[in-house]
Amino acid sequence: VQLQASGGGLAQAGGSLRLSCAASVNILSIDAVDWYRQAPEKERELVATLTKSTSTGYAQFAKGRFTISRDNAKNIVYLQMNSLKPEDTAIYYCHARYYSSTDRYWGQGTQVTVSS
């Protein structure tokens, strides 16, 4: 499984960005796709999860501002980020996993920078 993350960039506080994670396989074959982020000198943290059954989960900081979704035809998982804050500045990574395997797959990361 190869994942290609894109859509990062520079946004002002209060603005929006949409990240994309394109998978090299049928997105519906993946049990769960997550978005993580890592800010400088901080641990990587989970942002949002979308399961094959379309269940979603969000970190507390993402609730009400971020939305994870997918386009089955394009094999893309999106992360819509609204009301951005400077503390959202980080490299965002998409991640795929299968429940029956310990294998984990990471995209290359996309930089999000939010200015105040």
Side-chain angles (χ1 to χ4, degrees):
V1 178
Q2 293 183 330
L3 303 173
Q4 181 75 34
S6 61
L10 178 64
Q12 291 188 331
S16 299
L17 285 172
R18 188 178 75 163
L19 307 183
S20 299
C21 175
S24 62
V25 300
N26 184 340
I27 200 73
L28 294 178
S29 72
I30 302 173
D31 289 318
V33 176
D34 314 290
W35 282 99
Y36 282 78
R37 71 182 187 184
Q38 187 166 19
E41 300 182 357
K42 291 191 175 181
E43 296 287 320
R44 190 172 296 190
E45 60 182 352
L46 180 63
V47 178
T49 296
L50 176 64
T51 70
K52 182 189 303 187
S53 63
T54 68
S55 295
T56 59
Y58 296 92
Q60 188 62 40
F61 63 79
K63 289 181 180 178
R65 298 192 299 129
F66 295 0
T67 303
I68 190 169
S69 63
R70 70 180 179 226
D71 184 324
N72 297 337
K74 296 181 179 179
N75 295 320
I76 295 177
V77 172
Y78 300 104
L79 184 68
Q80 177 68 44
M81 305 188 295
N82 300 327
S83 303
L84 284 165
K85 304 175 181 180
E87 51 264 44
D88 294 319
T89 295
I91 300 174
Y92 285 70
Y93 299 89
C94 57
H95 170 257
R97 51 194 165 95
Y98 294 89
Y99 298 153
S100 62
S101 171
T102 58
D103 293 338
R104 298 290 183 262
Y105 304 91
W106 291 94
Q108 85 286 5
T110 185
Q111 175 72 50
V112 171
T113 303
V114 183
S115 62
S116 57

